Amino acid sequence: MRLRVKDFNLGHTLECGQFFQFEPQPEKGYVVWSGDSIFWCRQIGDVLEFEGIPPEKVKWIFGLDVDYRGILNSICKDSKVERAIKALLGLRIMRQEFFECLVTYVCSANSNIPKITKNTRLLSKFFGKRVLFRGKPYYLFPKLGDISDYKKVVAAKTGFRARYILEINTALSTGFESRLRSMSYEAARRELMGLPGVGPKVADCVALFSLEKFEAFPVDVWIRRTMQGLYFKGHKTSDKELRQFASEYFGDYCGYANQFLFYAARKGIFRGFIG
């Protein structure tokens, strides 16, 4: 199937560090799996080709139904953000399944993208559903309640996070996600931080990537260094101050600004601006 897309870049969206369940393909496309969905997709110009998933689901996962230009206009406050947007135009915030996103970002504590990807794949292999797609086996991420064996969670190389993952799997109710969605961002953030292994950064990632709380502004080492370099003359600034500044400066879609700044920093777009 084909879908004409505007202001969308598949590569930037998948590879910017927000999502981990995808695999580049020899024909320059990707296999992507999220929740119960597994599909192939490839972008050629302004056409997105895909198979294994209906168009409505593709639009939902990749955030193709938001007022993208309106969001960009609202966060483009200076030449530094403008530079990032021009270089990374088409980067979208994806919609991730809540439990999958929560466990994935618990794995992200004091970690890196290759390690998080490994943890996620192993948890899926040990506890998830095996599916064949295009002649190759894949493992979907387990459902809430399915991560039930501590030794296997440890075998997924999760380290100190293993008991947090097991406790979250046991403690959460099926109505927890809908309750969070009905809350304000700050209230949902507080609820998330009450869960085992969920600190401020993890709570903000889950709020942004699975609950559509675009006011969330996750602060990790990349964002901390970037924000301090671009807006605080390199001075050490607390994460709380960075979040407050981002909220006031970028507004209701500061989460989108976060993703552009994060990926721009990782790609060296701000070289010379930050140390």
Side-chain angles (χ1 to χ4, degrees):
M1 298 184 72
R2 293 186 171 197
L3 185 67
R4 191 165 295 277
V5 290
K6 183 179 180 182
D7 296 328
F8 178 62
N9 186 294
L10 179 63
H12 291 337
T13 299
L14 285 174
E15 297 180 9
C16 69
Q18 63 176 311
F19 181 74
F20 308 94
Q21 298 280 64
F22 67 92
E23 181 179 82
Q25 299 296 289
E27 67 270 33
K28 298 183 179 180
Y30 300 85
V31 169
V32 180
W33 55 104
S34 177
D36 292 327
S37 300
I38 181 165
F39 60 99
W40 169 86
C41 54
R42 176 176 65 182
Q43 184 172 6
I44 301 176
D46 62 354
V47 173
L48 184 64
E49 301 178 343
F50 55 95
E51 63 179 56
I53 191 171
E56 296 75 20
K57 187 71 172 181
V58 168
K59 292 177 184 178
W60 186 86
I61 289 175
F62 289 127
L64 298 175
D65 52 355
V66 301
D67 178 13
Y68 189 69
R69 282 289 171 174
I71 291 171
L72 297 190
N73 288 337
S74 74
I75 66 172
C76 192
K77 300 293 188 179
D78 55 57
S79 60
K80 291 160 285 199
V81 182
E82 184 180 19
R83 172 191 290 243
I85 289 173
K86 283 183 176 179
L88 303 172
L89 185 65
L91 188 162
R92 302 266 181 152
I93 288 180
M94 295 176 63
R95 292 186 176 103
Q96 301 183 34
E97 298 293 335
F98 173 72
F99 181 65
E100 181 174 340
C101 183
L102 175 59
V103 174
T104 297
Y105 277 97
V106 167
C107 291
S108 76
N110 301 317
S111 192
N112 55 54
I113 290 174
K115 180 70 163 53
I116 301 164
T117 301
K118 183 175 184 179
N119 295 153
T120 307
R121 301 286 172 87
L122 286 173
L123 286 169
S124 299
K125 184 176 182 180
F126 294 152
F127 299 104
K129 179 182 178 182
R130 183 180 185 269
V131 295
L132 279 176
F133 183 73
R134 301 185 118 200
K136 181 177 176 178
Y138 293 89
Y139 295 88
L140 303 179
F141 197 81
K143 303 291 187 183
L144 174 62
D146 290 344
I147 303 178
S148 54
D149 187 321
Y150 179 72
K151 289 184 179 179
K152 286 185 178 180
V153 179
V154 172
K157 311 298 182 183
T158 55
F160 69 89
R161 310 162 195 86
R163 69 179 178 87
Y164 300 144
I165 294 169
L166 201 66
E167 288 174 11
I168 287 171
N169 176 77
T170 304
L172 287 192
S173 67
T174 53
F176 186 69
E177 176 188 353
S178 60
R179 189 158 64 86
L180 292 180
R181 287 187 179 278
S182 69
M183 295 178 176
S184 68
Y185 155 61
E186 291 291 352
R189 186 175 188 267
R190 286 193 297 271
E191 286 284 311
L192 285 165
M193 288 176 62
L195 297 175
V198 178
K201 189 212 90 170
V202 173
D204 278 326
C205 286
V206 176
L208 179 60
F209 300 132
S210 74
L211 298 176
E212 299 180 64
K213 308 289 189 186
F214 295 115
E215 314 98 307
F217 193 84
V219 178
D220 70 345
V221 63
W222 284 94
I223 283 293
R224 189 178 302 117
R225 184 166 60 233
T226 301
M227 292 292 288
Q228 289 174 357
L230 295 181
Y231 299 106
F232 293 89
K233 299 181 179 179
H235 296 157
K236 187 174 181 180
T237 311
S238 72
D239 292 353
K240 183 177 180 180
E241 289 176 295
L242 294 177
R243 286 181 56 244
Q244 183 175 350
F245 171 84
S247 177
E248 294 173 354
Y249 188 63
F250 295 116
D252 292 342
Y253 289 94
C254 64
Y256 254 94
N258 180 285
Q259 280 304 104
F260 276 101
L261 294 172
F262 174 84
Y263 198 35
R266 288 186 62 89
K267 291 181 75 68
I269 291 168
F270 294 134
R271 194 173 290 117
F273 288 85
I274 60 176

